[in-house]
Amino acid sequence: MDTEILTLDDFDYQGKTVILRLDINSPIDRQTGQLADDNRIRKSLPTIRELAACGGRVVMLAHQGDTEDYHNLIDLSPHAARIAELLGHSVSFVDDIAGPAATGRMSNLRNGELLMLNNVRYLVEEVSTFINYVKLTPEEMAKTRLVRNLAPHADLYVCEAFSAAHRSTPSLVGFAEVLPAAGGRLFVEELSALTQVRERPEHPCVYVLGGARIADAFSMMKSVLGNGSADKVLTSGLTGEVMLLACGQQLGVPSEKLIHDKGLDPYIDKAQDLLNVYADKILYPSDFAIIDEDQRKEIGRDKLPVDTLLVDIGAKTIADYIEVINSARTIFVNGPAGIYEQPMSAEGTRRLWNAIADAPGYSVIGGGDSVAAARRFGVQERMGYVCTSGGGMVRFLSGQKLSVVEALERASVRYRARRTE
Ligand code: 3PG
């Protein structure tokens, strides 16, 4: 691995109290209030199991939901119960985060015991830094109530939350300032997979970018085309449609209105700028699907504009993209090609995802919708690597430094320096 962070292999856990920061932020069923998906929990299990098996006293911290995602801002007791069920190992839950109930329980843990504290986003210092209302330096994070109260009861900090590694908050960054700190198994795995795509992709390297998160797609395109790591970008979804608008192609009122209503008009100029420089590297759709009288119909670009919403890419675009995918040695995927949740507009995503899963190149897929689509089409297991992260992954591939990776790197430098003293 290129990064200098320490891993689980660098420490001994017998009798040590380990603060383990997970990212088990999960969709919650609005009706039942129960976890609707436990993918992130399952992916975190190897590290939890390993720390407990090595005699660690494990104190788990995590966030769930936020003030904007309010119906998801719930206690972590269902998460603790699910971990216990999946591991076949008891997990205590304390309805406290940084107060005396939490610290009292922490200092009484036995070797191999697992403790889950409550949602760190109930703490104002965690939320104000997460939403960037307050910006704290790492040294200031180390002085927050959470870190001040818990760190004296712990020996080590392990971060398993790669999918939140772009957030600079006390629970993610603060402990690494005052405790020896390592990345967990999943953290290191995701960082390595994405580092390979970003720093050493085997060429040809193809980015398949769709979905509605145009800001993400554009920041990645700019970076990976600029540094030469991408040889081709296959656009679809709203990103593909904006590319066509930048070429002067009218789409029709419903699709143009959707782009306008989402505030995406400024991306038309940005698309033009990219096409001026990388015209041979950016592919955009040559045909689309619409739903007409309850039927899927396909239309070529020459039939645009249409007064119906474009909901998917068409057969010719799918075939052209599959040809590029089959000749790639690295494929990165983020964002579905159409409204994949509905059968009549799922064809583009289903066929591209299957082609990527079967392609000889190494594929990496990430982002909530993309992974959910891979699961829906039964190809998740056949993808090269499936990331749990969305925002963190996009920022990493856009060339940004992630706050938590930087914090773990600093902790590693301090730890190694102390050992050679
Ligand atoms: C996620 O769900 O992408 C991570 O848990 C980060 O969550 P956040 O965007 O609410 O910080």
Side-chain angles (χ1 to χ4, degrees):
M1 207 173 42
D2 314 50
T3 175
E4 291 302 319
I5 72 172
L6 300 172
T7 74
L8 292 194
D9 299 326
D10 288 293
F11 297 105
D12 177 15
Y13 301 97
Q14 183 69 24
K16 300 277 169 51
T17 301
V18 184
I19 293 179
L20 173 62
R21 176 55 160 101
L22 302 168
D23 185 357
I24 46 176
N25 190 22
S26 305
I28 304 298
D29 184 313
R30 272 182 191 250
Q31 248 95 56
T32 63
Q34 294 300 310
L35 301 174
D37 178 277
D38 62 7
N39 181 46
R40 282 184 172 161
I41 291 180
R42 287 176 184 273
K43 294 258 190 160
S44 309
L45 294 178
T47 289
I48 303 172
R49 187 184 289 117
E50 184 173 341
L51 291 174
C54 292
R57 304 168 178 202
V58 185
V59 181
M60 294 178 275
L61 279 182
H63 69 275
Q64 170 63 51
D66 61 65
T67 44
E68 284 188 11
D69 188 19
Y70 190 68
H71 78 278
N72 281 339
L73 187 72
I74 63 164
D75 280 15
L76 294 183
S77 51
H79 306 65
R82 185 62 58 89
I83 292 171
E85 179 191 331
L86 293 169
L87 276 184
H89 185 300
S90 65
V91 177
S92 341
F93 172 73
V94 171
D95 181 10
D96 187 18
I97 312 158
T103 53
R105 190 71 187 81
M106 266 178 91
S107 42
N108 284 322
L109 286 174
R110 292 184 307 274
N111 295 358
E113 204 176 340
L114 299 173
L115 168 68
M116 170 80 74
L117 301 181
N118 214 345
N119 189 347
V120 292
R121 288 206 177 150
Y122 291 161
L123 295 177
V124 70
E125 57 195 14
E126 189 74 15
V127 175
S128 55
T129 47
F130 151 68
I131 59 175
N132 277 328
Y133 179 65
V134 174
K135 277 196 195 303
L136 298 182
T137 62
E139 297 76 21
E140 288 168 330
M141 304 250 192
K143 294 187 184 129
T144 54
R145 182 168 180 269
L146 175 73
V147 180
R148 245 182 22 241
N149 286 5
L150 299 196
H153 300 274
D155 301 292
L156 296 165
Y157 171 66
V158 172
C159 187
E160 188 63 316
F162 185 80
S163 39
H166 53 303
R167 302 293 185 201
S168 190
T169 71
S171 75
L172 287 157
V173 166
F175 292 106
E177 293 301 310
V178 292
L179 292 171
R185 296 293 178 211
L186 178 65
F187 192 103
V188 171
E189 206 180 272
E190 298 220 353
L191 182 57
S192 306
L194 292 177
T195 301
Q196 173 164 344
V197 171
R198 190 176 82 172
E199 317 283 339
R200 293 179 304 279
E202 282 199 50
H203 291 279
C205 173
V206 174
Y207 275 62
V208 182
L209 302 181
R213 294 190 176 203
I214 291 202
D216 287 355
F218 272 77
S219 76
M220 275 193 284
M221 264 193 284
K222 196 162 177 251
S223 166
V224 299
L225 288 167
N227 68 18
S229 60
D231 299 294
K232 287 267 189 272
V233 177
L234 311 180
T235 65
S236 58
L238 294 187
T239 306
E241 292 175 21
V242 166
M243 288 294 162
L244 282 176
L245 288 171
C247 298
Q249 171 72 63
Q250 289 185 317
L251 305 175
V253 172
S255 294
E256 289 178 33
K257 183 171 180 321
L258 179 70
I259 287 168
H260 178 74
D261 291 349
K262 283 181 171 281
L264 302 176
D265 292 338
Y267 286 95
I268 301 171
D269 281 347
K270 293 185 201 288
Q272 231 151 20
D273 293 344
L274 283 173
L275 287 168
N276 285 342
V277 186
Y278 306 109
D280 55 330
K281 297 195 169 183
I282 302 174
L283 277 65
Y284 40 83
S286 53
D287 58 353
F288 290 94
I290 56 171
I291 309 291
D292 186 21
E293 295 179 347
D294 255 358
Q295 297 284 319
R296 177 184 171 106
K297 290 199 181 134
E298 298 203 352
I299 51 166
R301 258 184 76 177
D302 54 332
K303 294 287 184 304
L304 294 175
V306 278
D307 57 10
T308 318
L309 193 68
L310 303 173
V311 291
D312 195 9
I313 52 175
K316 175 159 177 10
T317 307
I318 296 172
D320 291 346
Y321 283 10
I322 289 178
E323 199 178 318
V324 178
I325 287 165
N326 281 337
S327 63
R329 298 188 68 177
T330 308
I331 308 151
F332 174 77
V333 195
N334 185 231
I339 306 172
Y340 73 93
E341 300 92 334
Q342 292 166 19
M344 272 186 274
S345 45
E347 187 70 358
T349 310
R350 190 181 60 75
R351 290 198 46 212
L352 291 187
W353 266 222
N354 269 282
I356 293 160
D358 293 337
Y362 173 63
S363 54
V364 175
I365 182 167
D369 277 336
S370 309
V371 175
R375 226 176 291 141
R376 177 179 287 243
F377 302 131
V379 298
Q380 191 180 356
E381 304 304 321
R382 289 187 283 131
M383 294 288 183
Y385 190 77
V386 180
C387 290
T388 57
S389 54
M393 172 192 72
V394 167
R395 284 171 178 80
F396 186 80
L397 291 176
S398 303
Q400 293 176 29
K401 276 290 213 175
L402 305 182
S403 318
V404 179
V405 174
E406 289 184 308
L408 293 178
E409 285 173 351
R410 282 193 302 273
S412 160
V413 170
R414 275 196 302 270
Y415 180 76
R416 290 184 208 275
R418 237 173 271 140
R419 282 173 61 101
T420 53
E421 269 169 13

Short mmCIF file of all heavy atoms in Angstrom, two decimals, residues 97-143:
data_model
loop_
_atom_site.label_atom_id
_atom_site.label_comp_id
_atom_site.label_asym_id
_atom_site.label_seq_id
_atom_site.Cartn_x
_atom_site.Cartn_y
_atom_site.Cartn_z
N ILE A 97 -22.63 8.39 25.26
CA ILE A 97 -21.53 8.49 24.30
C ILE A 97 -20.25 8.94 25.00
O ILE A 97 -19.21 8.32 24.84
CB ILE A 97 -21.87 9.46 23.15
CG1 ILE A 97 -23.26 9.16 22.60
CG2 ILE A 97 -20.84 9.36 22.01
CD1 ILE A 97 -23.90 10.31 21.88
N ALA A 98 -20.34 10.03 25.73
CA ALA A 98 -19.12 10.57 26.34
C ALA A 98 -19.32 10.85 27.83
O ALA A 98 -18.48 11.51 28.44
CB ALA A 98 -18.71 11.85 25.61
N GLY A 99 -20.40 10.38 28.39
CA GLY A 99 -20.69 10.67 29.80
C GLY A 99 -20.22 9.55 30.72
O GLY A 99 -19.57 8.60 30.28
N PRO A 100 -20.59 9.64 32.00
CA PRO A 100 -20.10 8.66 32.99
C PRO A 100 -20.57 7.24 32.74
O PRO A 100 -19.86 6.29 33.08
CB PRO A 100 -20.65 9.19 34.31
CG PRO A 100 -21.49 10.37 34.00
CD PRO A 100 -21.36 10.74 32.58
N ALA A 101 -21.77 7.06 32.13
CA ALA A 101 -22.22 5.68 31.87
C ALA A 101 -21.28 5.03 30.86
O ALA A 101 -20.91 3.85 31.00
CB ALA A 101 -23.66 5.69 31.35
N ALA A 102 -20.88 5.80 29.85
CA ALA A 102 -19.98 5.26 28.82
C ALA A 102 -18.60 4.98 29.41
O ALA A 102 -18.05 3.87 29.26
CB ALA A 102 -19.87 6.23 27.65
N THR A 103 -18.04 5.95 30.10
CA THR A 103 -16.66 5.76 30.60
C THR A 103 -16.62 4.70 31.71
O THR A 103 -15.68 3.92 31.78
CB THR A 103 -16.07 7.09 31.10
OG1 THR A 103 -16.98 7.66 32.05
CG2 THR A 103 -15.83 8.07 29.98
N GLY A 104 -17.70 4.66 32.53
CA GLY A 104 -17.75 3.66 33.59
C GLY A 104 -17.75 2.26 32.99
O GLY A 104 -16.99 1.39 33.43
N ARG A 105 -18.56 2.06 31.96
CA ARG A 105 -18.64 0.74 31.32
C ARG A 105 -17.32 0.40 30.62
O ARG A 105 -16.86 -0.73 30.68
CB ARG A 105 -19.81 0.77 30.31
CG ARG A 105 -20.18 -0.56 29.75
CD ARG A 105 -20.86 -1.44 30.82
NE ARG A 105 -21.07 -2.78 30.28
CZ ARG A 105 -20.14 -3.72 30.24
NH1 ARG A 105 -18.93 -3.49 30.70
NH2 ARG A 105 -20.42 -4.91 29.73
N MET A 106 -16.73 1.42 29.99
CA MET A 106 -15.45 1.19 29.29
C MET A 106 -14.37 0.69 30.23
O MET A 106 -13.59 -0.19 29.89
CB MET A 106 -14.94 2.53 28.70
CG MET A 106 -15.32 2.80 27.29
SD MET A 106 -14.70 4.41 26.78
CE MET A 106 -13.11 3.98 26.11
N SER A 107 -14.33 1.27 31.42
CA SER A 107 -13.22 0.89 32.30
C SER A 107 -13.46 -0.46 33.00
O SER A 107 -12.57 -0.96 33.65
CB SER A 107 -12.91 2.00 33.30
OG SER A 107 -14.09 2.53 33.79
N ASN A 108 -14.67 -1.02 32.80
CA ASN A 108 -14.93 -2.34 33.41
C ASN A 108 -14.98 -3.47 32.39
O ASN A 108 -15.42 -4.56 32.70
CB ASN A 108 -16.30 -2.32 34.11
CG ASN A 108 -16.18 -1.56 35.40
OD1 ASN A 108 -15.17 -1.69 36.07
ND2 ASN A 108 -17.17 -0.76 35.73
N LEU A 109 -14.54 -3.20 31.17
CA LEU A 109 -14.64 -4.25 30.12
C LEU A 109 -13.67 -5.39 30.41
O LEU A 109 -12.57 -5.18 30.93
CB LEU A 109 -14.31 -3.65 28.75
CG LEU A 109 -15.38 -2.76 28.11
CD1 LEU A 109 -14.83 -2.14 26.82
CD2 LEU A 109 -16.65 -3.55 27.81
N ARG A 110 -14.08 -6.59 30.00
CA ARG A 110 -13.18 -7.75 30.09
C ARG A 110 -12.57 -8.00 28.72
O ARG A 110 -13.10 -7.55 27.70
CB ARG A 110 -13.97 -8.99 30.54
CG ARG A 110 -14.47 -8.91 31.99
CD ARG A 110 -15.16 -10.22 32.39
NE ARG A 110 -16.20 -10.59 31.44
CZ ARG A 110 -17.45 -10.16 31.49
NH1 ARG A 110 -17.84 -9.32 32.43
NH2 ARG A 110 -18.35 -10.54 30.58
N ASN A 111 -11.49 -8.78 28.72
CA ASN A 111 -10.84 -9.10 27.43
C ASN A 111 -11.84 -9.78 26.50
O ASN A 111 -12.58 -10.67 26.92
CB ASN A 111 -9.65 -10.05 27.66
CG ASN A 111 -8.55 -9.38 28.46
OD1 ASN A 111 -8.67 -8.20 28.81
ND2 ASN A 111 -7.49 -10.12 28.74
N GLY A 112 -11.86 -9.36 25.25
CA GLY A 112 -12.74 -9.97 24.25
C GLY A 112 -14.16 -9.45 24.29
O GLY A 112 -14.99 -9.87 23.49
N GLU A 113 -14.45 -8.49 25.20
CA GLU A 113 -15.83 -7.99 25.30
C GLU A 113 -16.09 -6.88 24.28
O GLU A 113 -15.20 -6.09 23.95
CB GLU A 113 -16.05 -7.47 26.73
CG GLU A 113 -17.51 -7.47 27.10
CD GLU A 113 -17.74 -7.04 28.55
OE1 GLU A 113 -16.81 -7.09 29.38
OE2 GLU A 113 -18.88 -6.65 28.83
N LEU A 114 -17.33 -6.83 23.81
CA LEU A 114 -17.72 -5.81 22.80
C LEU A 114 -18.75 -4.87 23.40
O LEU A 114 -19.77 -5.32 23.95
CB LEU A 114 -18.33 -6.49 21.57
CG LEU A 114 -17.44 -7.47 20.79
CD1 LEU A 114 -18.25 -8.17 19.70
CD2 LEU A 114 -16.26 -6.74 20.17
N LEU A 115 -18.49 -3.57 23.26
CA LEU A 115 -19.40 -2.55 23.78
C LEU A 115 -19.72 -1.57 22.66
O LEU A 115 -18.81 -1.12 21.96
CB LEU A 115 -18.71 -1.80 24.94
CG LEU A 115 -19.39 -0.52 25.42
CD1 LEU A 115 -20.72 -0.83 26.12
CD2 LEU A 115 -18.46 0.23 26.41
N MET A 116 -21.00 -1.27 22.50
CA MET A 116 -21.40 -0.24 21.51
C MET A 116 -21.94 0.97 22.26
O MET A 116 -22.85 0.83 23.08
CB MET A 116 -22.48 -0.84 20.60
CG MET A 116 -23.18 0.15 19.68
SD MET A 116 -22.23 0.55 18.22
CE MET A 116 -22.43 -0.95 17.29
N LEU A 117 -21.37 2.14 21.98
CA LEU A 117 -21.90 3.38 22.55
C LEU A 117 -22.93 3.94 21.58
O LEU A 117 -23.08 3.44 20.47
CB LEU A 117 -20.76 4.37 22.81
CG LEU A 117 -19.68 3.86 23.78
CD1 LEU A 117 -18.60 4.92 23.98
CD2 LEU A 117 -20.29 3.45 25.12
N ASN A 118 -23.63 4.98 22.00
CA ASN A 118 -24.73 5.46 21.15
C ASN A 118 -24.22 6.38 20.03
O ASN A 118 -23.03 6.70 19.93
CB ASN A 118 -25.82 6.11 22.01
CG ASN A 118 -27.20 5.87 21.39
OD1 ASN A 118 -27.30 5.47 20.22
ND2 ASN A 118 -28.25 6.08 22.15
N ASN A 119 -25.16 6.79 19.21
CA ASN A 119 -24.93 7.56 17.98
C ASN A 119 -24.14 8.85 18.24
O ASN A 119 -24.64 9.75 18.92
CB ASN A 119 -26.32 7.87 17.40
CG ASN A 119 -26.26 8.46 16.03
OD1 ASN A 119 -25.21 8.87 15.57
ND2 ASN A 119 -27.42 8.51 15.38
N VAL A 120 -22.93 8.95 17.67
CA VAL A 120 -22.11 10.14 17.94
C VAL A 120 -22.76 11.42 17.40
O VAL A 120 -22.40 12.52 17.81
CB VAL A 120 -20.67 10.01 17.39
CG1 VAL A 120 -19.88 8.97 18.14
CG2 VAL A 120 -20.66 9.76 15.89
N ARG A 121 -23.71 11.26 16.48
CA ARG A 121 -24.37 12.47 15.95
C ARG A 121 -25.44 13.02 16.89
O ARG A 121 -26.14 13.96 16.55
CB ARG A 121 -24.89 12.22 14.54
CG ARG A 121 -23.73 12.15 13.57
CD ARG A 121 -24.02 12.50 12.16
NE ARG A 121 -22.79 12.43 11.39
CZ ARG A 121 -22.71 12.13 10.11
NH1 ARG A 121 -23.81 11.87 9.44
NH2 ARG A 121 -21.54 12.10 9.50
N TYR A 122 -25.51 12.47 18.10
CA TYR A 122 -26.30 13.13 19.15
C TYR A 122 -25.45 14.20 19.85
O TYR A 122 -25.95 14.91 20.70
CB TYR A 122 -26.77 12.11 20.20
CG TYR A 122 -27.82 11.12 19.70
CD1 TYR A 122 -28.04 9.94 20.41
CD2 TYR A 122 -28.59 11.37 18.58
CE1 TYR A 122 -29.00 9.02 19.98
CE2 TYR A 122 -29.55 10.46 18.15
CZ TYR A 122 -29.75 9.29 18.85
OH TYR A 122 -30.69 8.40 18.44
N LEU A 123 -24.16 14.25 19.51
CA LEU A 123 -23.26 15.22 20.14
C LEU A 123 -23.15 16.47 19.27
O LEU A 123 -22.87 16.37 18.08
CB LEU A 123 -21.85 14.64 20.31
CG LEU A 123 -21.68 13.45 21.23
CD1 LEU A 123 -20.23 12.98 21.18
CD2 LEU A 123 -22.07 13.82 22.66
N VAL A 124 -23.33 17.63 19.88
CA VAL A 124 -23.31 18.87 19.10
C VAL A 124 -21.95 19.10 18.45
O VAL A 124 -21.86 19.56 17.31
CB VAL A 124 -23.78 20.06 19.96
CG1 VAL A 124 -22.78 20.42 21.02
CG2 VAL A 124 -24.08 21.26 19.09
N GLU A 125 -20.86 18.74 19.14
CA GLU A 125 -19.53 18.99 18.57
C GLU A 125 -19.29 18.11 17.33
O GLU A 125 -18.57 18.50 16.41
CB GLU A 125 -18.43 18.76 19.61
CG GLU A 125 -18.48 17.37 20.21
CD GLU A 125 -17.65 17.21 21.48
OE1 GLU A 125 -17.25 18.23 22.07
OE2 GLU A 125 -17.42 16.07 21.88
N GLU A 126 -19.92 16.96 17.30
CA GLU A 126 -19.78 16.06 16.16
C GLU A 126 -20.59 16.61 14.97
O GLU A 126 -20.11 16.65 13.84
CB GLU A 126 -20.29 14.66 16.56
CG GLU A 126 -20.03 13.56 15.57
CD GLU A 126 -18.58 13.10 15.52
OE1 GLU A 126 -17.77 13.42 16.43
OE2 GLU A 126 -18.24 12.42 14.52
N VAL A 127 -21.79 17.08 15.25
CA VAL A 127 -22.66 17.58 14.17
C VAL A 127 -22.16 18.91 13.63
O VAL A 127 -22.11 19.12 12.41
CB VAL A 127 -24.12 17.70 14.66
CG1 VAL A 127 -25.00 18.33 13.59
CG2 VAL A 127 -24.66 16.31 15.03
N SER A 128 -21.74 19.80 14.51
CA SER A 128 -21.33 21.12 14.00
C SER A 128 -20.08 21.00 13.14
O SER A 128 -19.91 21.76 12.18
CB SER A 128 -21.12 22.11 15.16
OG SER A 128 -20.20 21.58 16.07
N THR A 129 -19.21 20.04 13.42
CA THR A 129 -18.03 19.87 12.57
C THR A 129 -18.40 19.12 11.29
O THR A 129 -17.92 19.44 10.21
CB THR A 129 -16.91 19.10 13.31
OG1 THR A 129 -17.48 17.96 13.94
CG2 THR A 129 -16.26 19.96 14.34
N PHE A 130 -19.31 18.16 11.41
CA PHE A 130 -19.74 17.39 10.23
C PHE A 130 -20.37 18.30 9.18
O PHE A 130 -20.10 18.19 7.99
CB PHE A 130 -20.69 16.27 10.68
CG PHE A 130 -21.71 15.86 9.67
CD1 PHE A 130 -21.33 15.21 8.51
CD2 PHE A 130 -23.06 16.12 9.87
CE1 PHE A 130 -22.27 14.83 7.57
CE2 PHE A 130 -23.99 15.76 8.93
CZ PHE A 130 -23.60 15.12 7.78
N ILE A 131 -21.20 19.27 9.64
CA ILE A 131 -21.84 20.14 8.65
C ILE A 131 -20.99 21.38 8.34
O ILE A 131 -21.44 22.30 7.66
CB ILE A 131 -23.27 20.59 9.09
CG1 ILE A 131 -23.22 21.33 10.44
CG2 ILE A 131 -24.23 19.42 9.15
CD1 ILE A 131 -24.56 21.89 10.88
N ASN A 132 -19.75 21.36 8.84
CA ASN A 132 -18.82 22.46 8.58
C ASN A 132 -19.27 23.80 9.15
O ASN A 132 -18.86 24.85 8.68
CB ASN A 132 -18.57 22.64 7.07
CG ASN A 132 -17.52 21.68 6.59
OD1 ASN A 132 -16.61 21.34 7.33
ND2 ASN A 132 -17.67 21.22 5.36
N TYR A 133 -20.15 23.74 10.14
CA TYR A 133 -20.58 24.97 10.79
C TYR A 133 -19.43 25.50 11.64
O TYR A 133 -19.19 26.69 11.76
CB TYR A 133 -21.81 24.65 11.65
CG TYR A 133 -22.37 25.82 12.41
CD1 TYR A 133 -22.92 26.90 11.73
CD2 TYR A 133 -22.34 25.84 13.79
CE1 TYR A 133 -23.43 27.98 12.43
CE2 TYR A 133 -22.85 26.92 14.50
CZ TYR A 133 -23.39 27.98 13.81
OH TYR A 133 -23.88 29.04 14.51
N VAL A 134 -18.71 24.54 12.24
CA VAL A 134 -17.50 24.88 12.98
C VAL A 134 -16.36 24.09 12.36
O VAL A 134 -16.53 22.91 12.07
CB VAL A 134 -17.65 24.43 14.47
CG1 VAL A 134 -16.35 24.63 15.22
CG2 VAL A 134 -18.77 25.18 15.14
N LYS A 135 -15.24 24.74 12.14
CA LYS A 135 -14.08 24.01 11.65
C LYS A 135 -13.05 23.93 12.77
O LYS A 135 -12.66 24.96 13.32
CB LYS A 135 -13.45 24.74 10.46
CG LYS A 135 -14.15 24.46 9.15
CD LYS A 135 -13.25 24.89 7.99
CE LYS A 135 -13.99 24.97 6.68
NZ LYS A 135 -14.63 23.75 6.27
N LEU A 136 -12.66 22.72 13.12
CA LEU A 136 -11.67 22.55 14.18
C LEU A 136 -10.42 21.93 13.60
O LEU A 136 -10.49 21.10 12.69
CB LEU A 136 -12.21 21.62 15.28
CG LEU A 136 -13.46 22.05 16.05
CD1 LEU A 136 -13.80 21.02 17.12
CD2 LEU A 136 -13.27 23.42 16.70
N THR A 137 -9.29 22.34 14.12
CA THR A 137 -8.04 21.68 13.70
C THR A 137 -8.01 20.31 14.39
O THR A 137 -8.71 20.10 15.39
CB THR A 137 -6.82 22.49 14.18
OG1 THR A 137 -6.85 22.51 15.62
CG2 THR A 137 -6.83 23.91 13.63
N PRO A 138 -7.16 19.40 13.91
CA PRO A 138 -7.07 18.10 14.59
C PRO A 138 -6.72 18.26 16.07
O PRO A 138 -7.24 17.55 16.92
CB PRO A 138 -5.96 17.39 13.82
CG PRO A 138 -5.99 18.01 12.46
CD PRO A 138 -6.38 19.44 12.66
N GLU A 139 -5.85 19.22 16.40
CA GLU A 139 -5.48 19.43 17.81
C GLU A 139 -6.72 19.87 18.61
O GLU A 139 -6.91 19.47 19.76
CB GLU A 139 -4.39 20.51 17.96
CG GLU A 139 -3.05 20.16 17.31
CD GLU A 139 -3.06 20.30 15.79
OE1 GLU A 139 -3.92 21.02 15.25
OE2 GLU A 139 -2.21 19.67 15.15
N GLU A 140 -7.55 20.71 18.00
CA GLU A 140 -8.76 21.14 18.70
C GLU A 140 -9.75 19.98 18.86
O GLU A 140 -10.44 19.87 19.86
CB GLU A 140 -9.42 22.31 17.96
CG GLU A 140 -8.64 23.61 18.10
CD GLU A 140 -9.10 24.70 17.14
OE1 GLU A 140 -9.58 24.37 16.02
OE2 GLU A 140 -8.98 25.87 17.49
N MET A 141 -9.79 19.10 17.86
CA MET A 141 -10.68 17.92 17.96
C MET A 141 -10.27 17.06 19.15
O MET A 141 -11.09 16.45 19.81
CB MET A 141 -10.55 17.03 16.72
CG MET A 141 -10.82 17.76 15.48
SD MET A 141 -12.33 17.23 14.76
CE MET A 141 -12.11 18.01 13.18
N ALA A 142 -8.95 17.01 19.39
CA ALA A 142 -8.45 16.19 20.49
C ALA A 142 -8.89 16.75 21.83
O ALA A 142 -8.83 16.06 22.85
CB ALA A 142 -6.93 16.10 20.42
N LYS A 143 -9.34 18.02 21.83
CA LYS A 143 -9.77 18.63 23.11
C LYS A 143 -11.28 18.66 23.26
O LYS A 143 -11.81 19.24 24.20
CB LYS A 143 -9.23 20.06 23.19
CG LYS A 143 -7.71 20.08 23.27
CD LYS A 143 -7.19 21.48 23.52
CE LYS A 143 -5.67 21.47 23.50
NZ LYS A 143 -5.10 22.46 22.63
#
